[in-house]
Amino acid sequence: MRFAVERMTVADIPRVIEIERLAYSTPWPPSAYRKELQDNPLAHYIIVRDTHAQVPARAMGPAESAPKRPFPLSLLPSRTAPVGTPELASTIAFAGLWLMMDEAHITTIAVHPDYRGRGIGELMLATLIGIAYDIHARNVTLEVRVSNIVAQNLYRKYGFREAGTRRRYYSDNHEDALIMWTDDLESPAYRSEFLRLHTALVARLRAQDPD
Ligand SMILES: CC(C)(COP(=O)(O)OP(=O)(O)OC[C@H]1O[C@@H](n2cnc3c(N)ncnc32)[C@H](O)[C@@H]1OP(=O)(O)O)[C@@H](O)C(=O)NCCC(=O)NCCS
């Protein structure tokens, strides 16, 4: 498919920071991502690349031209491309979660503004839920700004439901956060709805492949 999901590596951080600054009013510092990737065994971070992005032509070295394994990504090898390569320039989105006890907690999810409304946010959410299944999480949870209706719609589509608020959670404007949870991932109803959504998503993304 045109849009490829891969595990995030330290080499992805500069591009992730660029996208994050376009997406959030209070971005994390680059050191926070480095710490997450290198020191937090509970963290799982992914990126999405547009494999057909228009990026500056440049000869590719052996590490960059080596074939990459697509999702499912439990056994993905680490990537070795250095910063500034066409591969990194084509990164268009990123997301992550932590596994805490048997809960998967989504920490971030952001799509470059030029690529929104095409199913990429959904691709990442479905991938994170896939990771949650892989690591035997029971539920997935997250916080979202009460004003962020677009993100809430995405989460509701995947069965997240409101389970309370955290008052004045966000430091920039003291906005409240909605706390959202999925049902038990292993329940037959959740599993079958997830598979239905996943099938529809793959068809939507495939329709964006060039002929
Ligand atoms: C939230 C975000 C990740 C969504 O990514 P996206 O790629 O644009 O979303 P998708 O195209 O995959 O859409 C998936 C669903 O999201 C919802 N959605 C997306 N765009 C929407 C819009 N403009 N209005 C209302 N709902 C919308 C819909 O439910 C949509 O499903 P549908 O296509 O069946 O209607 C993206 O808008 C973003 O990066 N926002 C800034 C960062 C952010 O707010 N992150 C969430 C923090 S909790």
Side-chain angles (χ1 to χ4, degrees), residues 40-109:
N40 185 353
L42 305 177
H44 298 261
Y45 282 85
I46 56 172
I47 55 148
V48 178
R49 284 194 308 114
D50 177 358
T51 60
H52 292 79
Q54 296 293 314
V55 290
R58 176 181 171 287
M60 303 241 290
E64 296 157 56
S65 54
K68 302 289 184 301
R69 289 178 64 190
F71 184 78
L73 41 70
S74 340
L75 300 172
L76 272 181
S78 58
R79 291 167 46 233
T80 50
V83 175
T85 64
E87 175 178 308
L88 293 172
S90 67
T91 299
I92 55 163
F94 68 93
L97 64 70
W98 293 336
L99 178 68
M100 294 158 85
M101 306 294 283
D102 55 359
E103 294 162 12
H105 192 131
I106 293 180
T107 56
T108 185
I109 178 163

Side-chain angles (χ1 to χ4, degrees), residues 23-24 109-111 116-122 143-144 148 150-151 153-155 157 204:
Y24 292 122
I109 178 163
V111 178
R116 291 185 191 158
R118 298 166 73 169
I120 311 294
E122 191 174 337
E143 285 96 16
V144 54
N148 194 347
V150 170
N153 285 345
L154 167 62
Y155 304 142
K157 185 170 179 181
R204 178 182 182 186

